[in-house]
Amino acid sequence: MTIAWVEDRDPLPDPAHAPVPASGLAAAGLDLSPARLYEAYRKGLFPWYSPGEPVLWWSPDPRMVLRCEDFHLGRSLAKRVRQFDREAAPGAAPDAGKTPSSPGPPPDLHVTLNQAFPAVIAHCAQRGAPRIGLGAARTGRDWSAPDAASGRDGTWITPDIQAVYTAWHHMGYVHSIETWIGGRLAGGLYGVSLGRCFFGESMFSLAADASKVALAYLVGHLRTRGVPWIDCQQETPHLASLGARPVARPGFLAMLAAGRDTPAPAWGRGRLRADGRLESVPQ
């Protein structure tokens, strides 16, 4: 089947009405803008391409989806989430024997929403960094990320991708969750919000469990705001271990159609709690 080439003024094909090859590659072109992204996500498409290629638009079948109610919070991860939430509580004393936190300095362990989007997407483009344990991270041990060229899974997050998703972030459609250890960014994720749908894009972790903690907090945030699922795009054993399941394209498109035009929840920015609450960050 011939792949559609899309010029700037051409609409993207709609997988709900047009056949898509078994590969999932629906179209190619050179246009990459917030307006094009908005059109694509409404149709269940997303961009994924390597440097030097045109913009490739994909609609995989099946589609990996994590329903928030199915999120698997294992015993060790649940313990880690409780540890972060306990230290983030107002007036709580950190585990390391420090004095209770004052209203000013941030707690040693905490999670935030939309506080460091440019840093999150930049780290996602450099995935493959070695991770260290939480204890070592809290002592201040170095966790420097590698050059982008050495990352294994983030090479598709090109400078153009970073620029357009950052622009879309400023328009209120793309959001980041950040995990902090000792005042340093240790992990996080970012994704797209459209109505009552959330599309996970990428995540990174420089310390053990940092990205999983961010995901657990995201799930709590979405649950409290009536967003029932996270699109994980492609099937992997890691996503399956967290509760994600493959959904055939027609089923996914039906879920998308049911949620994309509903009012989007308020996102904002600040410090997240595990139960979904959003607290302002002390100045």
Side-chain angles (χ1 to χ4, degrees), residues 112-117 120 165 168-178 188-194 197-202 218 221-222 264-269:
T112 58
L113 171 65
N114 287 330
Q115 291 290 111
F117 180 84
V120 168
Y165 278 87
W168 217 21
H169 164 71
H170 291 310
M171 296 169 67
Y173 287 94
V174 188
H175 305 280
S176 58
I177 310 292
E178 304 97 11
L189 58 85
Y190 75 96
V192 173
S193 173
L194 197 64
C197 310
F198 190 84
F199 307 82
E201 289 299 312
S202 188
L218 171 65
H221 184 72
L222 295 178
W267 281 83
R269 60 195 306 266

Side-chain angles (χ1 to χ4, degrees), residues 139-263:
T139 66
R141 185 179 301 177
D142 181 53
W143 55 30
S144 299
D147 294 335
S150 65
R152 178 174 59 86
D153 296 318
T155 54
W156 65 273
I157 306 178
T158 64
D160 286 345
I161 286 285
Q162 293 186 54
V164 72
Y165 278 87
T166 299
W168 217 21
H169 164 71
H170 291 310
M171 296 169 67
Y173 287 94
V174 188
H175 305 280
S176 58
I177 310 292
E178 304 97 11
T179 305
W180 302 86
I181 300 176
R184 296 190 296 169
L185 184 62
L189 58 85
Y190 75 96
V192 173
S193 173
L194 197 64
R196 297 287 168 172
C197 310
F198 190 84
F199 307 82
E201 289 299 312
S202 188
M203 58 201 309
F204 80 97
S205 185
L206 301 180
D209 294 332
S211 62
K212 291 181 181 179
V213 168
L215 178 60
Y217 272 70
L218 171 65
V219 169
H221 184 72
L222 295 178
R223 280 174 171 165
T224 62
R225 285 153 180 81
V227 179
W229 51 264
I230 301 170
D231 170 33
C232 302
Q233 298 178 349
Q234 299 194 38
E235 188 173 357
T236 68
H238 173 66
L239 292 171
S241 72
L242 296 173
R245 297 292 181 266
V247 176
R249 184 186 290 129
F252 174 78
L253 295 177
M255 294 165 59
L256 174 61
R260 67 190 175 195
D261 293 320
T262 56

